[in-house]
Amino acid sequence: LDDSLDGFRLWPGRLTAADQAQLRDQVLAALEAAPLYRPVTPGGRPFSVRMSNLGPLGWVSDRAGYRYQAVHPETGAPWPPIPQMLLTLWDDLTGWPAPPDACLVNLYDADARMGLHQDKDERDLTAPVLSVSLGDTAVFRIGAAGGGRTRSVRLASGDACMLSGPARLARHGIDRILGGSSSLLPGGGRMNLTLRRAA
Ligand code: MD3
Ligand code: FE
């Protein structure tokens, strides 16, 4: 399209079926300690996506705004650790000299969406973001930070994508979930794991 999305890289099928199943099991176990919850926007509107976090810091949204914090907003407990598989994937794909300190877990049912937005709550906006998709395929939309045309990309189970350079501030969102496209997750749906440098 143009060079404003040059830092967008997609690795289709980066995780084997066995790795996807192992990662699913590890994250579902961690969610026992840090349950999925439904955040609200600063305006008070519930997200259609349910969320939790792994790692030293987690992204939260409530009436007070968007921020990173060290504890689960409902239990008050620290977030569980980021699975080693994801830390290794971060090293292998990003080459960034420091590990991620935040992993947002987004869980989409077949009706969930995420509107176009930019990720700007992190301290160092030059650090990449790495996303791993599990379960149902998503129709992902991405466009340049400055606006204009967007393009649609399917994110399927086991895909990884990295946003760096000019793409780090891209506008992006999830238009829809292709319900029933994967049987990886119990009860269906899609899980997205987003690794970041927050602090
Ligand atoms: C492009 N998540 O958590 S993942 C988010 O599928 C988020 O849950 C979506 O947008 C999801 O903020 C999209 C792909 C992704 C993640 C982070 C990005 C794309 C990005 C950061 C900057 C630009
Ligand atoms: Fe985002």
Side-chain angles (χ1 to χ4, degrees):
L1 220 58
D2 62 53
D3 42 359
S4 59
L5 292 179
D6 273 355
F8 173 61
R9 287 195 61 185
L10 175 64
W11 289 270
R14 181 64 178 73
L15 272 63
T16 65
D19 281 351
Q20 292 173 48
Q22 185 184 8
L23 183 57
R24 169 200 63 199
D25 292 345
Q26 291 174 347
V27 174
L28 291 178
L31 293 177
E32 302 278 340
L36 292 164
Y37 68 100
R38 192 179 304 280
V40 297
T41 65
R45 277 178 54 94
F47 281 77
S48 62
V49 179
R50 288 181 299 151
M51 296 184 181
S52 187
N53 290 274
L54 307 173
L57 290 171
W59 186 87
V60 300
S61 173
D62 59 22
R63 291 260 183 197
Y66 305 139
R67 65 191 174 279
Y68 283 91
Q69 66 178 41
V71 300
H72 191 292
E74 294 185 350
T75 71
W79 305 105
I82 299 174
Q84 184 58 47
M85 189 192 302
L86 291 175
L87 297 174
T88 300
L89 193 69
W90 169 275
D91 286 344
D92 291 349
L93 297 186
T94 73
W96 193 256
D101 58 8
C103 176
L104 176 61
V105 180
N106 289 331
L107 202 287
Y108 295 78
D109 67 21
D111 301 318
R113 306 270 187 277
M114 187 176 287
L116 273 186
H117 66 278
Q118 293 175 290
D119 292 11
K120 293 199 282 195
D121 300 320
E122 299 75 30
R123 193 168 59 90
D124 180 0
L125 295 176
T126 71
V129 174
L130 185 68
S131 151
V132 175
S133 294
L134 294 176
D136 285 343
T137 296
V139 181
F140 171 66
R141 179 170 298 282
I142 184 166
R149 291 192 60 171
T150 59
R151 71 169 166 133
S152 182
V153 178
R154 283 180 187 219
L155 297 178
S157 194
D159 292 358
C161 71
M162 180 174 72
L163 297 304
S164 65
R168 177 64 181 77
L169 286 175
R171 298 184 306 141
H172 61 280
I174 297 295
D175 286 345
R176 67 188 189 99
I177 301 297
L178 305 183
S181 52
S182 163
S183 55
L184 185 73
L185 298 180
R190 169 175 183 263
M191 179 181 288
N192 184 74
L193 304 164
T194 315
L195 298 162
R196 296 184 170 84
R197 291 287 300 171

